[in-house]
Structures are given as structure tokens and as C-alpha cells.
């Protein structure tokens, strides 16, 4: 069992002929993902790692039956690519692109909601269901199939935790990267809802960071609805207020969005919060016993 | 990117929003030549908040007094920021103050209009003490902010008649500015009632860094230090902090957790540089150059988890430009064995565990501090 992507996912890659798109298409294929089509306007008729390339999503879907999309196009073209994928009802639409203007993301997310399509990102590492499907850039070799679901705003921090879980013998059901930008398509709450309903997930790891109030909302949801053990880590406890900490979303202003506030909310909701990333695996192990 | 008040007001004027007549100056002597009606208000142009409490906003009723005030404010230190310019504006006789802003609501993934009849104070304070006084309206990005929505908000603030129509014009113009210029925040506080008309007495504008490419005439970013600007030009994300350990990592979340690790073991980061995903040997070399330029750096902590980034590339970058101060290196992930070997061959020690790496970095910085005291 898994959430969002699995062995049935038929992936279309936008920007497949670009440096990152081509490279990661190769890795996604190696991970067992059914990458069935690529789209790059003007490059229709080409092939990348044997995957046929089309000029439009419309043609690609008709020819290949693609049902999900991963976007590697440069920031200034990401809005158009994402709107095209949503219009074709590809689901999920996973936006790896970094540096997308916030107003573009607002439009994409609003349109996706109207159309009932799930968006992950922008500025995320994608989503991986070990042994079945990798959409995006998470390193395949770190994972092993198992019962732990992971929800994260950040890429490398996810890898750090996944590697530690795997070392501890704790495999993963699915790892979901939400993206580090201020406006992203899927919230912690929506991802928690999916994992809570997933029969293959026994425990949930939530990797948050400073800025915004998504973790506080997650805490409320955990308290009210989640019956599986939740372990969390919040990055940026020592970040100074007002500074943009790499992720555009990670700015704390005033008392809002501080790590302490998020940690308190999560603990009050019954989640266990690790002080350091290295503490996560042990807490998961303890909670699953 | 945060703009100064005077810059924000230039945008406001361009979009037809009413602002006081004012001139920005950087020398007190310039006051004499200004064609302004007295009294005037002299306002420090800084990006930090709380300038009023710090004495950075003063009234003056004559040119001579204005000159004295300007001289006192220019060069003043407000929360670590030196005042380089003041805005001299005709003072307004304010009858009532309101708050109005458009802001990106991250949780909703939308733009929200926020208004309040309690202007002139921080909206966060109002939200804490009198949340019932805040009026919110959600914006559908495909509809924009239609006049009827502005009218609803205006009525709830208590506007009527001509003032209501004035509010509608201001609110819709502010939305036009907010959306067209890719703002994260466009705020009028206070929006003041002066002689029966509405006036934007203070203006705040924060622009989306990611959208700067499509706005040719954006003013230069003054929030960044010189090193921060240099890193930006090299395509690296660099932020200055105030400790003594330089930090290089890959990925924003990992870098933030690296700062937390250092703090956990009793150390403090001097800065951090995120080399991002797929960092090359050259990027690593540049990164090492930048973080060590900051004065007072006593140790470097390199924390790399290779995903797209390859440990051998990182190791080659380190060997090409070895740290000049004591360094703690944690290198794991993709091509870990090759990376570790490259460092070993160059006589540079590296580990695999992040906690141990941080502990060592803190110890190295302490030793550096002790050695300095001994001298």
C-alpha cells in the first residue's frame, strides 16, 4: 500500500529533454517508475532513454495514457507547464522547479483545486513509494519498502531521515515532499489525511521547518483525527527572525512561525518531537512497539 | 525583497494611490531647497520595524528645525541598521487611522485582504488583542479584487458616502499594484482620514525575489550584505548570522538543521551557505571562499548529504580550496566512498555522522577562541 503514486502510475515528464529532466528520467526508470511520455515544446518526435517526446501534454496523453506528471522546466515556464498538466487532469502534478514566482504558484494551486487535481511543490523533491514508483529526485538507494510514511517540506532533510530509518530497519510506505516555497499545492494536513487512511502506513514522520503555520494546523489535525503514531522534527529552531533561510517559505516574523511554537503545538497534540534529526528513527521505533 | 517607505510610495503614486508630498534626502543641508509646506515630518528610511519608538520619526515646523532633526536622524543606528536617508513629507492632520493590506496567505495558498479600524499599530498586535476588529477577505486569483468586495470591506470598516468610494478606489488600486508587481505584501498603515479624504501615510511593499526577473525597474536590494550579494551573483544562497562557525550544507532544510545541531552542542553559526542540489566541485570551491571571508570565523562545518549532489564532486572542491581555518567535515550519501578517499588522500579528515561533525566543529571554534585570548 502507498499514497499518491504506486506501480499503476504512468508518468509524463515535462522538460524531459533538459539536463535535470533527462538525468532524473533515467533514475526514475531505474527505480521501476513507468515513465511513458515526455513533453518539451518544439522537441516532439525525439526520445529520451527510449521515452517518446511530444510537443504538448494533450498529444502525449492521447498516445500513451499518462496519468501523472513531473515538471522539471525552468521557473519562468513552470506556470504554463503546470496549468497544461492540470488541464489534462494528470494527477498528481509534481513540480520540482525551484524559484517559481509566488503569484504563479497561487494560480496553479487555485486551478488545480478547481479541477480536483493534487499538486506537490513547487520546489520539492517529489514523491517516492519504494519498490514501486519514484516521481522526482529522491535518491532511490536510500529507501526500502515498509510501514513508515514521511511528509516533508525539504529534500536533503528527507534523505537524512529516510537513510536513518532504513539503517534502523524501518522501511517506508511513501515519502511525500511538499516543497519549500510559501505557496505549495499540498499541505501537511492533506498528506496526513492520506497516510492516516493508508492501510500500509503504521507510523508517520512529519519534517517541518520554521515559517508559516502549516505545522500548527497539522497539530490540530493530528489531535482530532490521526490515530497512528506521529514523530516530528522541526528545522530552524535557532534561526534569527526576519531572515530568509534558503527556503522562501522559511522566514519567521514576530512570534508567528517559530520552531518552539510548532514544537509545542505538535507535542500538545500527542506527537513526539525529536530535538535532532538523528533522534527521529529511535522515536519511531519506540512508538511502533 | 523589502522596499524602503519612499520606494514603496513611488510605486503607490504610479498606481494612483494618494500619498503626501515628500522628498527623500541623504544630507541635512538639502532641506533648505525643498518646496514643502510646513510643518513636515522627517522619517528615517530603514528596513527594520520600530523606527518611531527609536526616535527615527520627528515633526518639524520650520526649515531650521527640520535641518536639525534630519541631522540627528541621519546616521542614527536603528536596530543595527544605519540611517542613510530620510523622507521629508508634509505633515498630515490625521482624524482617524485604518489598516489595509494585501498579503500572501501561505496556509490558504491565496491572497488575502486584511483591514482594520485600528490603524497606526502593528496588525499582529491587533490580531492578538482585538481579533474581532480585523476584517478579512479572500481573493480569487482569477477574479482579482472586484469593486464590490472592496465595498463590503469598506462598509465593515464603517466608511460611507464619498469616503466609501474613495476607499474602493484605493483598495482596488492597491490590489492592481500587488498583483502586477509580484508583491508578497502591500500594506498601508496607517491609511488615514485627513480633511475628509483618505491618505496613505505609511507604505510597505515586499516584492517576490523569484519574480524580479520580470520586473526590469526594481530598485537594488539593500537587505543583503556585500557577501550575501556576491553569493547571490554566484548563484548560491548565503545568509549571515552572528556566531563564529561558518556552515556549508546542501539543501535549505538540512542547512537549517545544521544550525540547530551547532546550537545543540553549544556553538553558533557565523553564516551559512546552501550549495543546493547537484553542487559541482567549482560551487564547493566558491562556497569555501565566501564563508571564510566573514571576519571572526574560527571554524568551518561542512555538512553534505549527497543525493543529486555527489560526494566525490564535493571532495574535489574541498581539496582544490582547502579551508584556512580548522574544519569539521561530514560527507555521506551518493559516491560516499570515493569522496572520503579523495579527502583522505589529501590528508583531510572527514566523518559520516552529523552530530559528531557538529560537536567537533564547536570544539574547534572554542579552541580558536581560547588561542586568541592566550595571545
Amino acid at each position: 500500500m502507498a499514497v499518491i503514486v504506486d506501480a499503476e502510475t504512468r508518468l509524463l515528464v515535462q522538460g524531459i529533454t533538459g539536463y535535470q529532466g533527462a538525468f532524473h528520467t533515467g533514475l526514475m526508470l531505474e527505480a521501476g517508475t513507468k515513465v511513458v511520455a515526455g513533453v518539451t515544446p518544439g522537441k516532439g518526435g525525439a526520445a529520451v532513454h527510449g521515452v517518446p517526446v511530444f510537443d504538448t501534454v494533450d498529444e502525449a496523453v492521447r498516445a500513451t495514457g499518462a496519468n501523472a506528471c513531473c515538471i522539471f522546466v525552468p521557473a519562468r515556464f513552470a506556470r504554463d507547464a503546470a496549468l497544461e498538466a492540470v488541464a489534462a487532469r494528470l494527477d498528481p502534478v509534481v513540480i520540482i522547479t525551484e524559484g517559481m514566482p509566488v503569484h504563479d504558484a497561487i494560480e496553479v494551486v487555485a486551478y488545480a483545486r478547481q479541477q480536483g487535481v493534487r499538486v506537490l511543490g513547487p520546489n520539492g523533491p517529489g514523491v517516492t513509494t519504494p519498490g514501486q514508483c519514484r516521481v522526482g529526485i529522491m535518491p532511490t538507494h536510500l529507501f526500502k519498502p515498509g510501514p513508515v510514511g514521511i511528509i516533508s517540506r525539504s529534500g536533503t532533510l528527507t534523505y537524512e531521515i529516510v537513510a536513518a530509518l532504513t539503517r534502523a530497519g524501518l522501511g517506508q510506505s511513501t515519502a511525500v515532499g511538499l516543497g519549500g516555497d510559501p505557496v505549495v499545492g499540498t499541505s501537511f494536513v492533506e498528506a496526513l489525511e492520506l497516510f492516516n487512511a493508508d492501510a500500509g502506513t503504521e507510523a508517520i514522520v512529519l519534517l517541518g521547518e520554521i515559517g508559516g503555520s502549516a505545522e500548527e494546523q497539522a497539530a490540530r489535525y493530528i489531535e482530532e483525527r490521526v490515530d497512528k503514531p506521529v514523530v516530528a522534527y522541526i528545522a530552524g529552531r535557532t534561526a534569527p527572525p526576519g531572515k530568509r533561510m534558503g527556503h522562501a517559505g522559511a522566514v519567521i516574523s514576530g512570534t508567528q512561525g517559530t520552531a518552539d511554537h510548532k514544537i509545542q503545538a505538535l507535542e500538545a497534540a500527542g506527537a513526539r518531537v525529536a530535538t535532532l534529526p538523528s533522534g527521529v528513527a529511535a522515536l519511531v521505533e519506540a512508538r511502533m512497539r | 525583497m523589502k522596499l524602503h517607505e519612499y520606494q514603496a510610495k513611488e510605486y503607490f503614486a504610479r498606481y494612483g494611490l494618494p500619498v503626501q508630498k515628500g522628498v527623500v534626502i541623504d544630507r541635512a543641508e538639502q532641506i533648505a531647497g525643498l518646496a514643502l509646506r510646513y510643518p513636515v515630518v522627517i522619517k528615517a528610511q530603514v528596513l527594520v520595524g520600530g523606527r518611531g519608538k527609536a526616535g527615527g520619526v520627528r515633526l518639524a515646523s520650520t526649515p531650521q528645525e527640520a535641518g536639525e532633526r534630519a541631522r540627528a536622524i541621519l546616521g542614527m543606528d536603528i536596530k543595527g541598521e544605519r540611517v542613510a536617508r530620510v523622507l521629508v513629507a508634509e505633515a498630515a492632520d490625521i482624524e482617524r487611522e485604518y489598516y489595509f493590506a494585501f498579503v500572501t496567505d501561505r496556509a490558504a495558498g491565496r491572497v488575502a485582504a486584511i483591514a482594520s479600524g485600528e490603524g497606526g499599530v502593528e496588525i499582529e498586535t491587533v490580531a492578538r488583542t482585538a481579533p474581532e476588529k480585523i476584517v478579512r477577505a479572500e481573493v480569487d486569483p482569477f477574479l482579482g479584487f472586484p469593486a464590490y468586495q472592496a465595498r463590503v470591506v469598506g462598509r465593515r470598516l464603517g466608511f460611507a458616502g464619498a469616503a466609501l468610494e474613495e476607499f474602493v478606489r484605493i483598495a482596488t488600486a492597491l490590489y492592481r499594484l500587488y498583483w502586477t508587481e509580484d508583491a508578497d505584501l502591500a500594506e498601508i498603515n496607517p491609511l488615514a482620514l485627513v480633511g475628509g479624504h483618505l491618505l496613505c501615510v505609511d507604505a510597505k511593499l515586499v516584492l517576490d525575489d523569484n519574480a524580479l526577473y520580470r520586473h526590469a525597474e526594481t530598485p537594488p536590494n539593500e537587505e543583503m550584505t556585500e557577501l550575501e550579494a556576491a553569493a547571490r551573483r554566484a548563484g548560491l544562497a548565503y545568509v549571515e548570522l552572528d556566531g563564529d562557525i561558518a556552515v556549508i550544507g546542501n539543501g535549505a532544510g538540512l542547512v537549517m538543521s545544521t544550525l540547530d545541531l551547532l546550537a545543540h552542542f553549544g556553538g553558533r553559526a557565523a553564516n551559512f551557505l546552501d550549495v543546493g542540489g547537484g553542487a559541482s566541485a567549482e560551487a564547493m570551491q566558491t562556497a569555501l571562499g565566501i564563508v571564510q571571508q566573514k571576519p571572526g570565523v574560527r571554524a568551518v562545518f561542512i555538512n553534505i548529504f549527497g543525493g543529486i549532489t555527489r560526494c566525490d564532486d564535493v571532495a574535489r572542491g574541498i581539496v582544490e580550496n582547502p579551508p584556512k581555518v580548522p574544519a569539521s567535515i561530514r560527507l555521506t550519501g551518493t559516491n560516499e566512498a570515493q569522496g572520503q578517499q579523495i579527502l583522505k588522500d589529501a590528508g583531510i579528515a572527514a566523518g559520516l555522522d552529523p552530530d559528531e561533525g557538529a560537536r567537533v566543529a564547536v570544539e574547534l571554534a572554542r579552541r580558536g577562541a581560547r588561542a586568541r585570548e592566550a595571545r
Side-chain angles (χ1 to χ4, degrees), chain B residues 184-202:
Chain B
D184 271 336
L185 172 74
E187 180 186 86
I188 315 172
N189 187 26
L191 172 64
L193 198 59
V194 178
H197 292 285
L198 287 172
L199 187 65
C200 306
V201 170
D202 197 356

Side-chain angles (χ1 to χ4, degrees), chain A residues 34-253:
Chain A
K34 296 184 182 74
V35 184
V36 297
V39 167
T40 300
K43 298 272 175 72
V48 174
H49 300 295
V51 176
V53 180
F54 301 86
D55 287 305
T56 64
V57 169
D58 174 63
E59 287 169 282
V61 170
R62 282 170 203 270
T64 66
N67 60 15
C69 179
C70 189
I71 295 176
F72 286 98
V73 307
R76 55 185 73 188
F77 308 116
R79 171 184 178 274
D80 195 56
L83 293 176
E84 188 180 9
V86 171
R89 303 286 175 94
L90 298 180
D91 191 359
V93 173
V94 179
I95 309 171
I96 305 300
T97 305
E98 241 179 280
M100 189 172 170
V102 175
H103 289 189
D104 291 1
I106 288 174
E107 287 182 326
V108 167
V109 169
Y111 185 49
R113 275 186 204 152
Q114 271 179 16
Q115 300 296 315
V117 166
R118 171 173 312 288
V119 168
L120 288 175
N123 191 17
V127 48
T128 291
T129 295
Q132 298 188 46
C133 182
R134 156 181 162 169
V135 175
I137 63 174
M138 294 187 197
T140 314
H141 67 276
L142 302 176
F143 289 84
K144 78 168 200 174
V148 183
I150 295 158
I151 313 169
S152 173
R153 281 214 228 174
S154 133
T156 38
L157 192 55
T158 308
Y159 315 158
E160 182 93 78
I161 302 294
V162 167
L165 287 170
T166 298
R167 267 201 307 277
L170 296 160
Q172 306 86 36
S173 54
T174 301
V176 181
L178 304 177
D181 278 359
V183 171
V184 292
T186 299
S187 66
F188 277 115
V189 168
E190 289 163 301
L192 279 167
E193 203 174 342
L194 296 173
F195 278 121
N196 199 38
D198 175 42
T201 301
E202 291 167 29
I204 304 167
V205 172
L206 189 152
L207 302 177
E209 60 189 42
I210 52 163
S213 57
E215 289 82 359
E216 284 86 344
Q217 287 167 344
R220 271 196 295 280
Y221 186 81
I222 290 167
E223 184 156 28
E224 287 164 15
R225 301 281 177 81
V226 178
D227 41 31
K228 297 177 183 178
V230 178
V231 172
Y233 169 72
I234 304 292
R237 222 172 51 241
T238 56
K243 285 259 184 190
R244 172 170 161 160
M245 305 300 284
H247 274 165
V251 178
I252 29 176
S253 43

Side-chain angles (χ1 to χ4, degrees), chain B residues 299-321:
Chain B
V300 181
F301 182 27
I302 301 174
N303 186 10
I304 300 288
F305 198 113
I308 323 173
T309 305
R310 291 164 33 178
C311 292
D312 50 334
D313 281 339
V314 170
R316 268 189 286 275
I318 297 173
V319 170
E320 281 299 317
N321 189 9

